[in-house]
Amino acid sequence: MVTLAVNGRTVTVTVTADTPLLWLLRDHLQLTGTKFGCGAGLCGACTVLVNGTAVRACSVPVSSLTNAEVFTIEGLAGQGDPVAARVIAAWIAEQVPQCGYCAPGMIIATVALLRRIPHPNDDDIDALITNLCRCGTYPRIRKAIHRAAAAAP
Amino acid sequence: MPPLITLSRRAVLKGSGALILGVHLPFLPVSPAVAGSTPVTVNAWLRISPDAVTVIVARSEMGQGVFTALPMLVAEELDVDWQTVRAEMAPLDAAYANPVLGGMRTGGSTSLSGGFLPLRQAGAAARLMLMAAAAQVWRVPVTDLTTAAGVVGHAASDRRASYGALAPLARRQPVPTDPPLRSPSTWTLIGRSPPRLDTPAKVTGQATFGLDVRVPDLLYAAVRHCPILGGTLAKTDTTALKAKTPTGYRPGVIAVVPLGNAVAVVAESWWQARTALAEVTVSWNEGAHGELASTTLDPTLTKALDATDPRTIAVAASRGDIDLAMAGAARVVDSVYRLPFLAHAALEPMNATASVTATGCALWLPTQDQEQYAKILPPLLGLKPDQITVHTTFLGGSFGRRLESDFGVQAALLSKAVSRPVQVIWSREEDIRHDVYRPASVSRVTVGLDAADRVVAWRHRVVAPSILARVDPAAVRNGVDSTAVAGIDDQPYALPALHLDHVRRDTGVPVGFWRSNGHSNNAFSMESMIDEVAAALDRDPYQLRRTLLADAPRALHVLDLAAGGANWSEPLAPVGDGRRGRGIALHQAFGSVVAAVAEVTVFTDGRLRVDRVVAAVDCGVAVHPDLVRGQIEGGILFGLSAALTGKITVDKGRVVQSNFHDVRVLTLAEAPAVEVHLVPSREPPGGVGEAGTPPIAPALTNAIFSATGRRLRSLPVADHDLKTG
């Protein structure tokens, strides 16, 4: 049994301690915006915020998350987070997604980047956005990150 | 259950063909003014409600933009406000067959070319029916009516009625045959780039991909295939899972199900299924390929280059007198090119959801081929074809992989086994190791040049396994798998004598369609050879291509546009200890021509950086230019990823690679900027989903040659040491 806050709501779920956060979100809380891509922390499709830090939910066991504060794409998009709103708007303006499967993880990784470095240069982006996109939308992702940064008040 | 947005709502259709009238109209208002709010199915492609026009999309959305571009075709002729247009995935139905491929399937970059005429006709016919309805109600000649933004108007009497109000009556009007289409000069949507209709859902986590499907009572399954290619399940030992529970297994675990070449655990959650599966002890029948290894496969393919037995050589194309031309050549350039097997590695792993009962099977899945399930599943499930329903979700990438039926069939068998809905999800390791791979190939290209340095003879042999022999044996004609030799004899270059043959060597490694199929192999050998000829003649490779394209204005224009965009004639600025180079390549496929110029820096320590790619495309009418740019950008980066690092190898019958640590794919930091130039055109649209991929690998290796003088004749580039000295 684990108690944690997801998108601002306290939830208690009965799962085995080794269950990764990803599967708690997807199979127990029905928050399917967080995607499964590799199960090994390599692709970033499952990126969520845990206590404000971008983490790969497939590789974080729930046992390490007691009382943690988790935000998924549903929470960030739906609750008016200002940085997330700018990132999502930039993703739309640059028409980034093709298949769209990497988008939630990419957007959350970008939110974490912009909270840390509000005006990242290309080297910052290269170093900190390591999520994978198989459709090859990287040039647009880069533009969208700069656009979101420029939109900050 | 959360709403399955954009999933197919089974429209009630009758008959087949592009214009099928709906038959489930709840009521017919006496006057359009009293029309209810119930959406009206006007034809197979269109449902109209008071505030929205829903276009039914019959091709799978895997990123290429069909959810936007296909509705644009209907909306252009229907004359509606784009803001009111919605897209909805079609159910499996004969009405939605692909006019190019046959059956309801998506592939071969045919969605736009196949839909360009019928979808505009559907929109035009619906508009005429809406006008006919207004004419009937108002008792005025239809010729006095006009339309604008979803409203029919009669200027003389100043009357107006919305499409939503007219729809119930419109669907009862005779269906116009061959309705006139708008002249391209009056297009208001085609040629513009409205925002994609699927973006808002995709950036908020609301889009439903295959593994986001949730249906009541759903169970989850993890699957483990026989690690040896072609092997089967022999025996399972589930002792580790036993417990005193109603199922006989530990809590959460519902069943352990054998699947022929695999075993699955079905459980209450996927993590439970996966962890339990890891504790099942399995023994396998290795089958014929237990000793299969790349170290012996590669030489086998190479040896087949020297095949002389005519029964093993299938001639795909022959024009001119190749022997005479070659015999008379003043000099000959000859090279062998080797390409590896490649995985698709779509970001969404293979998965499917099925609910099988005594009376039907419902599938929810990301698939490129809905049609096949109505053929494959009935005998397996004891059902009739019309008892199979297919709901297509968004596809989290596909690149050809989801043309296969394996994951969908598994879901159906598992649901049948446990009598509950089941979602099967492959781990990434299963996805990589049980793919159908882009065929490896070895090609020899021999080019004869006359005394005036003209190309007079082109001999091309492709040694490769056959995809069609497995998926469509009847399509193998005279021993030739057309997909293995695609994109050689039909290129726009002037090659007076050409001889192309295919030596088929099936290897035991399963092969399938991978973005652009054989074009990705053959553009590499062909465009590398043209560069080698240029080097042999000491000519600029761009100028040599110009000479060979002198009688092919369309391709020449594309080539010039790419070269011009990259400032081909300007030297590249030097960078520290890096040697810089540009490479160019051109390829014609899927009704489009794409040229790419790659700019690279090769550092003294061997590191390679791709600085920029400039591409040009002539795809006929660019229905949505920004989607075209996106597909060319994406196709180029997909091909670049493969060219730099992509390969699948086998050892002891097993695929060696397993996840993104050893299936290295392009990262954001490695991705160059891609500039895409479009040729304005009014020709019918060609495909763009695949056309960007073939030219990039040779453009890259041609650039490396330009920078270093080293000619790479095999991929991936990562297998070569580019260190100086």
Side-chain angles (χ1 to χ4, degrees):
Chain A
M1 192 147 86
V2 63
T3 298
L4 69 168
V6 178
N7 297 332
R9 244 184 63 217
T10 302
V11 295
T12 300
V13 186
T14 305
V15 291
T16 56
D18 68 340
T19 304
L21 173 60
L22 172 63
W23 299 104
L24 178 139
L25 295 172
R26 292 187 54 85
D27 290 359
H28 298 271
L29 302 180
Q30 310 305 327
L31 293 170
T32 56
T34 306
K35 304 305 181 196
F36 168 55
C38 70
L42 298 165
C43 77
C46 64
T47 304
V48 297
L49 294 181
V50 175
N51 300 327
T53 303
V55 303
R56 295 185 172 180
C58 72
S59 303
V60 180
V62 295
S63 57
S64 69
L65 293 174
T66 300
N67 299 323
E69 193 167 72
V70 176
F71 275 94
T72 70
I73 188 69
E74 290 91 343
L76 289 175
Q79 296 174 13
D81 177 272
V83 180
R86 283 197 291 279
V87 175
I88 288 169
W91 244 249
I92 293 171
E94 295 293 344
Q95 290 287 290
V96 173
Q98 289 186 19
C99 90
Y101 197 77
C102 74
M106 282 282 185
I107 286 168
I108 291 183
T110 301
V111 168
L113 165 69
L114 294 182
R115 284 183 179 174
R116 197 168 136 191
I117 309 173
H119 296 281
N121 60 28
D122 281 335
D123 290 341
D124 299 326
I125 294 171
D126 287 348
L128 293 170
I129 303 297
T130 55
N131 297 32
L132 300 178
C133 164
R134 283 292 282 149
C135 299
T137 67
Y138 293 126
R140 293 182 186 224
I141 289 171
R142 187 183 297 281
K143 282 187 211 159
I145 294 172
H146 286 306
R147 178 187 279 266
Chain B
M1 132 187 195
L4 298 177
I5 59 163
T6 76
L7 288 196
S8 52
R9 227 179 78 147
R10 190 168 171 84
V12 183
L13 303 168
K14 202 178 182 181
S16 66
L19 285 163
I20 314 303
L21 292 184
V23 294
H24 67 312
L25 190 73
F27 69 98
L28 185 67
V30 289
S31 154
V34 298
S37 60
T38 310
V40 176
T41 300
V42 179
N43 60 38
W45 306 104
L46 197 56
R47 206 170 55 236
I48 298 180
S49 66
D51 56 356
V53 169
T54 301
V55 177
I56 312 303
V57 177
R59 303 282 82 83
S60 303
E61 177 58 75
M62 45 193 169
Q64 81 282 42
V66 287
F67 255 51
T68 305
L70 297 181
M72 283 171 70
L73 298 174
V74 176
E76 178 67 66
E77 294 293 338
L78 186 60
D79 203 2
V80 286
D81 179 356
W82 179 250
Q83 301 301 320
T84 65
V85 176
R86 310 281 177 268
E88 183 179 289
M89 187 63 203
L92 172 57
D93 191 282
Y96 300 120
N98 183 319
V100 184
L101 303 176
M104 187 174 172
R105 47 177 70 98
T106 306
S109 296
T110 58
S111 298
L112 252 291
S113 55
F116 191 60
L117 182 63
L119 290 177
R120 285 184 300 146
Q121 285 176 331
R127 176 173 167 270
L128 291 178
M129 291 160 75
L130 289 156
M131 291 168 77
Q136 189 184 334
V137 174
W138 294 334
R139 299 178 191 283
V140 296
V142 73
T143 47
D144 288 355
L145 300 177
T146 56
T147 60
V151 173
V152 180
H154 183 246
S157 63
D158 197 25
R159 277 180 292 191
R160 293 152 56 81
S162 73
Y163 286 3
L166 291 166
L169 196 55
R171 59 166 289 281
R172 300 225 145 181
Q173 303 298 318
V175 179
T177 53
D178 209 13
L181 299 176
R182 298 174 67 149
S183 138
S185 62
T186 65
W187 283 340
T188 58
L189 270 173
I190 295 174
R192 292 169 199 269
S193 298
R196 292 176 66 126
L197 295 177
D198 54 354
T199 303
K202 286 178 174 176
V203 295
T204 53
Q206 300 303 308
T208 302
F209 294 90
L211 47 62
D212 303 332
V213 169
R214 293 293 181 267
V215 296
D217 219 22
L218 183 64
L219 296 170
Y220 300 86
V223 64
R224 191 192 329 166
H225 296 83
C226 177
I228 299 111
L229 297 170
T232 56
L233 181 68
K235 217 171 67 191
T236 55
D237 177 352
T238 58
T239 311
L241 306 184
K242 299 282 189 207
K244 286 194 168 55
T245 64
T247 65
Y249 297 116
R250 66 162 70 144
V253 175
I254 305 295
V256 179
V257 184
L259 287 168
N261 67 341
V263 59
V265 171
V266 183
E268 300 283 352
S269 77
W270 192 74
W271 186 252
Q272 289 172 326
R274 182 185 167 108
T275 48
L277 180 61
E279 293 177 51
V280 176
T281 306
V282 187
S283 55
W284 307 100
N285 298 315
E286 292 205 359
H289 302 305
E291 297 304 318
L292 202 63
S294 292
T295 47
T296 52
L297 264 183
D298 295 348
T300 305
L301 293 178
T302 302
K303 193 156 170 279
L305 281 176
D306 300 324
T308 51
D309 182 346
R311 287 168 302 177
T312 68
I313 302 167
V315 177
S318 200
R319 60 172 184 257
D321 189 330
I322 188 73
D323 292 326
L324 191 69
M326 205 63 90
R331 59 198 291 199
V332 166
V333 183
D334 178 83
S335 277
V336 172
Y337 304 95
R338 292 180 174 78
L339 291 169
F341 292 105
L342 292 172
H344 294 84
L347 201 52
E348 180 188 16
M350 294 305 107
N351 71 89
T353 305
S355 178
V356 177
T357 64
T359 56
C361 168
L363 284 174
W364 296 262
L365 79 174
T367 179
Q368 286 181 248
D369 188 340
Q370 292 80 5
E371 190 77 21
Q372 61 186 334
Y373 292 107
K375 296 186 178 69
I376 298 169
L377 291 180
L380 297 176
L381 304 175
L383 295 170
K384 297 189 187 74
D386 64 4
Q387 291 177 305
I388 310 295
T389 55
V390 179
H391 308 266
T392 309
T393 65
F394 283 125
L395 283 62
S398 187
F399 318 116
R401 176 62 178 89
R402 294 185 221 271
L403 286 163
E404 302 293 325
S405 63
D406 42 7
F407 46 95
V409 170
Q410 285 178 350
L413 293 174
L414 290 168
S415 175
K416 184 178 164 74
V418 299
S419 302
R420 280 177 64 177
V422 174
Q423 179 171 98
V424 64
I425 305 173
W426 293 19
S427 67
R428 174 57 57 189
E429 289 77 11
E430 294 295 317
D431 182 280
I432 296 293
R433 290 183 160 155
H434 301 282
D435 199 350
V436 289
Y437 304 91
R438 195 286 301 268
S441 66
V442 179
S443 299
R444 167 171 285 147
V445 189
T446 310
V447 174
L449 306 169
D450 69 9
D453 290 347
R454 288 175 302 208
V455 176
V456 291
W458 186 285
R459 191 191 289 278
H460 205 131
R461 170 165 292 177
V462 178
V463 178
S466 171
I467 300 170
L468 292 180
R470 175 179 63 89
V471 302
D472 189 5
V476 179
R477 303 264 160 77
N478 302 320
V480 177
D481 181 329
S482 56
T483 70
V485 293
I488 296 171
D489 67 312
D490 59 351
Q491 292 305 298
Y493 297 117
L495 305 172
L498 176 144
H499 187 86
L500 168 65
D501 58 33
H502 176 205
V503 178
R504 178 176 151 196
R505 281 290 180 276
D506 295 332
T507 64
V509 178
V511 290
F513 296 116
W514 183 95
R515 197 172 192 168
S516 84
N517 67 67
H519 290 278
S520 70
N521 303 66
N522 300 329
F524 179 70
S525 53
M526 193 152 193
E527 288 295 303
S528 294
M529 174 49 87
I530 289 181
D531 249 48
E532 296 211 50
V533 170
L537 296 174
D538 200 21
R539 287 196 63 188
D540 177 287
Y542 162 49
Q543 292 301 334
L544 175 65
R545 284 177 175 80
R546 293 201 85 242
T547 304
L548 292 169
L549 294 173
D551 297 325
R554 186 183 185 210
L556 182 62
H557 187 188
V558 173
L559 184 79
D560 285 344
L561 199 55
N567 299 319
W568 180 267
S569 52
E570 305 286 319
L572 288 162
V575 173
D577 68 339
R579 293 161 292 166
R580 304 199 68 203
R582 273 197 198 96
I584 192 166
L586 175 137
H587 192 73
Q588 173 175 296
F590 311 104
S592 300
V593 185
V594 178
V597 174
E599 295 177 357
V600 304
T601 305
V602 182
F603 297 94
T604 48
D605 64 359
R607 265 183 316 121
L608 168 71
R609 191 180 68 204
V610 184
D611 300 307
R612 181 170 76 138
V613 176
V614 179
V617 56
D618 183 341
C619 62
V621 172
V623 170
H624 186 300
D626 192 55
L627 285 177
V628 173
R629 273 185 217 104
Q631 285 307 293
I632 300 300
E633 286 163 15
I636 282 175
L637 293 182
F638 188 82
L640 183 63
S641 182
L644 289 171
T645 54
K647 70 169 172 182
I648 287 292
T649 54
V650 292
D651 190 38
K652 295 191 169 64
R654 296 157 166 85
V655 170
V656 172
Q657 294 76 15
S658 63
N659 206 322
F660 291 117
H661 65 287
D662 54 8
V663 177
R664 285 268 294 105
V665 299
L666 197 73
T667 63
L668 189 150
E670 294 162 341
V674 182
E675 283 175 30
V676 181
H677 300 267
L678 269 59
V679 176
S681 170
R682 288 274 162 84
E683 296 298 311
V688 294
E690 301 173 86
T693 299
I696 187 60
L700 172 69
T701 50
N702 291 344
I704 292 171
F705 176 78
S706 163
T708 65
R710 284 197 56 189
R711 171 63 55 191
L712 304 188
R713 297 189 182 88
S714 68
L715 295 177
V717 172
D719 280 357
H720 301 274
D721 184 356
L722 297 177
K723 248 197 310 262
T724 308

